[in-house]
Amino acid sequence: MRREKVSLVVPCYNEDEVLPYFYEEFCKVAEKLADYDLEVIFVNDGSKDRTLEIVRGFAKRDERVKYISFSRNFGKEAAIYAGFEHADGDYVVMMDADLQDPPELLPDMLKAVCEEGYDSAATRRVTRKGEPPIRSFFARCFYRLMNKISTAEIMDGARDYRLMNRKFVNAIMQMKEYNRFSKGIFGWVGFDTKWIEFENVERKAGETKWSFWKLLLYSLEGIIGFSTVPLALASIFGFIMCAAAFVFLIVILVRTLCFGDPVAGWPSMTCIILLLGGIQLFCIGILGMYLSKTYLETKKRPIYICKETNIDNEERQLGE
Ligand code: UDP
Ligand code: MG
């Protein structure tokens, strides 16, 4: 009988400190999953340190190690896409290089998909121990807002660490958008997902690549990518303003008829002009954000550019 294959996709950006630990853990887990063929695809996302050198070293020693190296930093989302495109396993796992996604969970995740009939097994952190409280607060707000206004369900604390079967991966690969937001894409495609919970683990070595500002922009990407509710804000504001203006008009009319026409002050007028100007700029800003994303999508640029790889695409007959 043909042995089933599991492909691990690991995006790496300046991870030379942690990669040796990761490889060690990979070997351990491969022993535990001896019934399956394992491969690991490192996607070097334009690292400026020795990441590529280290990965090449692994690949030389171990034929289960594959790598793709980008021509520059394209971002984690592009790295995930490239990894999925090149993974030909029956099951594909998306996993961070920093060991914040515990490899010990893999056997449970495989069991959920192979035996319990789920299409994917995803993980979520139940605690955010070790994270700045302000970041946790904003993260919570983001998930609450996102689930109210978008069609894709996103679980609070969900990691990108996920095991998927072929059907699930093929569905994801059909989503060829340039502005990628994986958490939304995973939720959008549907299928049955088993959620496995774990306590937050701090990264083994190296530093996080996500500043607060980067995370904020990433969350905006999520909202714009998976909801059109902000576009309706202009209409809602407009409606409220019309209603308010109408009430105001009647009040002034009645007041003038009853009490004559005392000179009205200009401060109130300034406030109204400023408020309306602000709302208009805000709404134009939202339109601009959607327009800029649409602009990038219409260019149909490639999601990533590969500079070097040890994967033979023809042999693999990708996409089948
Ligand atoms: N990563 C990447 N490209 C980037 C930023 C990050 O491939 O531009 C990878 C990084 O190497 C790691 C994963 O994405 O494997 C998660 O990054 P990190 O641990 O910095 O994020 P955090 O866990 O703090 O959210
Ligand atoms: Mg991390």
Side-chain angles (χ1 to χ4, degrees):
M1 206 180 84
R2 189 180 80 89
R3 277 157 62 90
E4 288 187 307
K5 185 170 175 183
V6 181
S7 307
L8 265 61
V9 171
V10 185
C12 308
Y13 178 51
N14 295 343
E15 300 285 9
D16 61 355
E17 281 177 47
V18 84
L19 278 177
Y21 297 110
F22 182 89
Y23 182 69
E24 210 174 286
E25 290 293 326
F26 166 72
C27 293
K28 272 191 219 153
V29 112
E31 268 169 37
K32 266 192 232 158
L33 300 175
D35 295 342
Y36 298 88
D37 282 336
L38 243 69
E39 74 169 354
V40 54
I41 302 179
F42 291 106
V43 186
N44 172 33
D45 184 12
S47 303
K48 293 187 178 59
D49 61 1
R50 296 180 47 247
T51 301
L52 181 59
E53 227 172 282
I54 293 176
V55 168
R56 275 200 208 116
F58 295 152
K60 218 177 259 172
R61 280 189 263 151
D62 186 343
E63 61 172 25
R64 296 170 303 179
V65 176
K66 306 276 189 284
Y67 67 88
I68 309 162
S69 183
F70 288 175
S71 58
R72 64 167 171 86
N73 178 250
F74 279 87
K76 183 181 174 187
E77 296 294 334
I80 297 177
Y81 181 83
F84 282 9
E85 206 172 49
H86 288 80
D88 70 346
D90 303 280
Y91 305 101
V92 178
V93 183
M94 155 65 221
M95 194 170 186
D96 283 359
D98 57 5
L99 293 175
Q100 275 191 305
D101 299 333
E104 307 86 81
L105 294 179
L106 267 181
D108 279 347
M109 291 162 85
L110 254 178
K111 196 168 140 226
V113 177
C114 297
E115 291 167 25
E116 295 169 20
Y118 289 98
D119 298 292
S120 87
T123 56
R124 66 183 279 254
R125 300 186 285 189
V126 276
T127 55
R128 288 175 167 271
K129 209 172 54 193
E131 201 183 58
I134 182 106
R135 185 182 279 202
S136 309
F137 171 75
F138 277 107
R140 290 242 156 74
C141 291
F142 168 72
Y143 285 116
R144 216 172 294 152
L145 177 74
M146 195 68 192
N147 281 325
K148 280 219 173 81
I149 64 174
S150 92
T151 42
E153 193 197 338
I154 301 180
M155 188 74 94
D156 184 5
R159 304 265 321 160
D160 287 340
Y161 184 25
R162 191 183 269 263
L163 184 142
M164 295 150 264
N165 63 12
R166 234 325 105 193
K167 259 191 294 183
F168 198 101
V169 176
N170 288 347
I172 288 170
M173 294 316 291
Q174 281 176 32
M175 300 180 73
K176 304 233 179 268
E177 59 222 62
Y178 182 76
N179 298 288
R180 303 185 73 78
F181 180 70
S182 282
K183 287 192 168 69
I185 292 177
F186 290 152
W188 191 90
V189 293
F191 292 107
D192 294 327
T193 297
K194 178 171 183 175
W195 286 94
I196 296 174
E197 299 183 346
F198 71 101
E199 296 260 329
N200 190 27
V201 189
E202 292 196 33
R203 69 161 36 237
K204 181 93 182 162
E207 274 172 19
T208 176
K209 313 293 175 303
W210 297 87
S211 61
F212 187 78
W213 180 243
K214 248 180 139 179
L215 275 177
L216 187 74
L217 290 182
Y218 184 61
S219 61
L220 282 182
E221 180 106 349
I223 292 175
I224 294 173
F226 284 90
S227 170
T228 49
V229 171
L231 280 177
L233 277 185
S235 318
I236 296 170
F237 276 142
F239 181 77
I240 294 173
M241 282 295 156
C242 284
F246 187 69
V247 173
F248 202 50
L249 193 88
I250 292 177
V251 170
I252 290 178
L253 211 68
V254 171
R255 205 177 58 179
T256 316
L257 287 179
C258 299
F259 307 108
D261 187 16
V263 178
W266 63 268
S268 53
M269 188 61 89
T270 320
C271 288
I272 292 170
I273 292 175
L274 278 181
L275 176 74
L276 281 182
I279 290 177
Q280 279 170 357
L281 280 182
F282 179 69
C283 293
I284 294 175
I286 292 178
L287 275 181
M289 288 210 260
Y290 279 88
L291 184 68
S292 69
K293 296 288 172 201
T294 317
Y295 173 62
L296 287 175
E297 290 294 345
T298 53
K299 284 187 181 220
K300 296 229 180 308
R301 284 184 182 160
I303 294 170
Y304 66 92
I305 291 178
C306 173
K307 187 172 163 199
E308 182 186 328
T309 174
N310 68 344
I311 302 176
D312 186 348
N313 284 347
E314 274 169 33
E315 190 187 290
R316 293 199 156 203
Q317 296 181 331
L318 294 172
E320 286 192 8

